[in-house]
Amino acid sequence: MTYPTAPWKLEGYAIQTLHLVDIKQAIPFVPSELEIVSLLPGKTLAGTYVSSYEAGSLLEYNELIVVPAFVRYQGYIGAWISHIYVDNEDSVAGGREIWGLPKEMAEFSWDNHGKLSVKQNQRELYQLSYKKDWLSLSTWWQQEFRGNAFGGLGSELLYFQNNFKSQISLLKSNLEIPQHSPFASLGLGQPWFTVNLQKLELLAGVPKLLGNEVINLSDN
């Protein structure tokens, strides 16, 4: 298996959903070494990110990321990624071996009517329907922003920075997570906000080793 070295430059489009979830429901998805950041009393910020990286990317693939909480470790704050699915085996290998992410293979379906689904072995994990919000304020220029995240497969806790450039607008959406989905018990519910990222340029940065903490994703 061969895959590019970090950083990875990726181009395409994505949809980000943001949710407020109960910290009690997020705890089973987060290693005990990490402190869950509270946004409101008893609540943390969670989300999903589903993307399609197209021509011009270092690798071309679709991806679904599930973030059960934002967490803190020794002064570092970022997203903890509990589940991540792609449809490219090189992306699986690189994600696991470079960033310590629990990537798995899945099947992605985007249609022209604002609906996408993610399945694994023909079982649906995630379905999102979306359309333009009539109150949406769109940016017609590419705004720049940054997202920090943790990774850890095995005993190493990693921290990395993702730099984004994208046109941004809001969407109306309806999210369905089947009961048999591995992250159903997180209780995501309907999104607080759904963000449309078009003309997306993403640079997935080189990870930094924070410590040899025992991070066992198989328990989450």
Side-chain angles (χ1 to χ4, degrees), residues 14-20 45-50 110 114-116 126-138 167-176 188-198:
I15 297 175
Q16 171 85 59
T17 68
L18 298 173
H19 308 253
L20 285 176
L45 183 64
T48 70
Y49 170 92
V50 61
W110 301 73
K115 187 174 182 179
L116 66 93
Y126 177 98
Q127 185 179 105
L128 184 71
S129 302
Y130 57 92
K131 61 182 179 179
K132 186 176 180 180
D133 192 331
W134 68 279
L135 287 175
S136 175
L137 297 177
S138 302
Q167 292 180 352
I168 300 174
S169 62
L170 295 180
L171 297 173
K172 290 183 177 180
S173 68
N174 181 68
L175 178 62
E176 296 181 26
L188 287 173
Q190 293 309 309
W192 186 25
F193 286 107
T194 302
V195 182
N196 186 24
L197 304 174
Q198 292 292 319

Side-chain angles (χ1 to χ4, degrees), residues 98-119:
I98 297 173
W99 290 280
L101 297 174
K103 286 192 177 184
E104 299 180 29
M105 289 289 290
E107 302 87 43
F108 290 73
S109 174
W110 301 73
D111 69 19
N112 296 323
H113 305 289
K115 187 174 182 179
L116 66 93
S117 66
V118 182
K119 296 181 180 180

Side-chain angles (χ1 to χ4, degrees), residues 21-34 36 44 46 66-71 79-83 85 102 150 152 177 179 181-188 215-220:
V21 301
D22 291 339
I23 290 178
K24 289 182 179 179
Q25 288 180 279
I27 285 175
F29 295 90
V30 178
S32 59
E33 294 84 1
L34 306 179
I36 295 177
T44 188
V66 179
V67 173
F70 272 72
V71 299
W80 175 255
I81 297 171
S82 60
H83 299 80
Y85 303 91
F150 293 88
I177 308 293
Q179 287 300 312
S181 178
F183 46 90
S185 62
L186 179 59
L188 287 173
I215 306 296
N216 190 349
L217 291 177
S218 63
D219 292 339
N220 296 324

